[in-house]
Amino acid sequence: MKKTKSNYLRYGGYATLLTLMVIAITIVLNVIVTDLNFKIDTTAEKLYSLSANTEKVTKELKTPVNIYVLEETGKETAGLKEILNKYDKLNSNLTVTYKDPILYPTFANAYKKTSSSTVAAGSVIIENGDTGKYKVLSQTDLYGTTATDTSGVTLSSITIENAITNALGYVSTDVDGTIYYTSGHNELAIPTALKDASERANLTLTELDLLTGEMPSPDNSIVLVFSPHTDFTQEEIKKLTDFLDQGGKAMLFMDANMPELTNYNELLSYYGIAHEQGVVIETDSNYSLTSYPTYLLPAMVSHDITNSLTQSKLPVVVPFTSGIKNLNNARNGVTLTPLLSSSDQSYLKKNINPSTYEFEDGDINGPVILACAVEENNTLDAQNPINTRLFVMADSFFLDDQMVSLDSTGNKEFLTNAFGWLFSIDNSYAIEAKTLENYNLRSISSSQLIIIGGLTMVVIPLVILILGITVWVKRRHL
């Protein structure tokens, strides 16, 4: 068949039209992707992605919330801006605004705690647009640092999501919780980890003198007893039991070095438990750190305090711990749930400075309860039911810096979850920091590398070659 000029023009026009369509589609796709700000977070720690908990908390905001960022125009922190943009897109009630400290020098004055305090440049202010309740996040709230021998401090983690999500929870509720810690009984010093956890949970720490001070209201209050080493008076124990009988909440900590405290044990026995003096030895290697039988990796049961840990498979490391005994004589309405327990191959050694780790006369066979949740529901007055809750821990050293600094442990989350359970608040606000210790792009496995290489070097070129040959053959026969 003779090829005519019109045929060439016709098929040449088709080819030109097809080329223009491909170009047009490419342009449209680029515009759409750019407009959607489509990006993929390839960091192993997902540094610039929001967790499911954060998305849930943000989407459920019912009142307007303003986020003010105090940074100079054109000098915004890229990582912070990227994360805030993700918050901004989750809920129309949330607005992110940048306030240049140079252009608006007096803006931050309204958010000073005292007339002499300052709100530094680089801070982020979260404010409820209806109530005016706010929280100021400083640079130390947004980023974690560690000390070094050479440069002083170095950036070690990003805590932006942690800080902002907690602040959103704080300004969105009218509940202001307080932890009252007892003093005057040679209690151990409140560890930094507990202070940090209480701040993350938006709780205020306040000292309580049981002898001279007034007991707080049971509403939105926790009484913290942190490993006392001298006993309470009977009058003080009476104040504590009255507080709890009215629906109060308490955190009771003990340790292996704690002596026998008669009156304090009366408080424990009121809820059907007792302190087991001694140190737990774990002989099952699956429940302790390798070669460290006193550093336990206890079993966890299902509970609001432990569920997030079992889901993420984060262990709680409990070092040099004593035990808790279930007296099995709790009165009606009182329930005890063991949270952490050693294995049935463990035992409680009564001598805390033993010459041997072997089982001896007087030692107590496991399993041993290390932490428990106690709850009492009093429904005698159906119109005003009373709910009392206690978190009891036989160890205080699990909050030492050495324990909580390990990213592979759930010690901090365990404590934060305990706060949440005591106050009956949503643990969705508990977002862990994202470490920069191993910061890198997500690695590609060898199998993925082979697949990508095959696609780019074999499959795609082969498809293009086949299409080209097909078009060439068809055009030869026109």
Side-chain angles (χ1 to χ4, degrees), residues 212-257:
T212 60
E214 292 292 326
M215 289 299 294
S217 166
D219 298 328
N220 307 320
S221 300
I222 294 175
V223 170
L224 168 66
V225 181
F226 198 75
S227 284
H229 283 236
T230 57
D231 208 357
F232 292 74
T233 66
Q234 290 186 342
E235 180 186 353
E236 290 174 314
I237 295 299
K238 178 69 165 54
K239 283 186 175 182
L240 287 174
T241 53
D242 287 347
F243 168 79
L244 293 169
D245 282 342
Q246 296 172 39
K249 312 295 185 283
M251 302 186 86
L252 308 178
F253 288 86
M254 298 164 283
D255 64 75
N257 296 313

Side-chain angles (χ1 to χ4, degrees), residues 265-318:
N265 279 333
E266 283 186 12
L267 173 64
L268 298 176
S269 65
Y270 186 64
Y271 290 96
I273 57 177
H275 180 217
E276 291 264 37
Q277 291 177 292
V279 60
V280 178
I281 306 297
E282 182 59 76
T283 63
D284 187 336
S285 59
N286 293 316
Y287 292 88
S288 67
L289 297 183
T290 305
S291 302
Y292 291 92
T294 58
Y295 280 65
L296 277 61
L297 300 173
M300 287 185 273
V301 301
S302 178
H303 189 275
D304 288 345
I305 296 176
T306 57
N307 287 341
S308 66
L309 296 167
T310 53
Q311 289 170 7
S312 58
K313 297 182 179 179
L314 273 177
V316 176
V317 181
V318 185

Side-chain angles (χ1 to χ4, degrees), residues 265-274 325-336:
N265 279 333
E266 283 186 12
L267 173 64
L268 298 176
S269 65
Y270 186 64
Y271 290 96
I273 57 177
K325 183 179 181 179
N326 183 355
L327 298 176
N328 294 308
N329 64 355
R331 59 190 180 278
N332 290 336
V334 176
T335 58
L336 182 149

Side-chain angles (χ1 to χ4, degrees), residues 395-407:
D395 179 65
S396 300
F397 306 118
F398 85 107
L399 293 176
D400 282 359
D401 291 342
Q402 180 186 5
M403 296 293 102
V404 299
S405 63
L406 300 174
D407 294 319

Side-chain angles (χ1 to χ4, degrees), residues 392-441:
V392 187
M393 185 83 189
D395 179 65
S396 300
F397 306 118
F398 85 107
L399 293 176
D400 282 359
D401 291 342
Q402 180 186 5
M403 296 293 102
V404 299
S405 63
L406 300 174
D407 294 319
S408 57
T409 71
N411 291 27
K412 288 187 292 185
E413 187 171 340
F414 182 64
L415 180 65
T416 303
N417 289 352
F419 288 145
W421 176 73
L422 289 170
F423 274 125
S424 300
I425 59 176
D426 190 350
N427 283 326
S428 296
Y429 303 143
I431 311 293
E432 286 304 307
K434 297 177 180 179
T435 180
L436 294 176
E437 188 174 329
N438 300 310
Y439 172 54
N440 55 13
L441 297 181

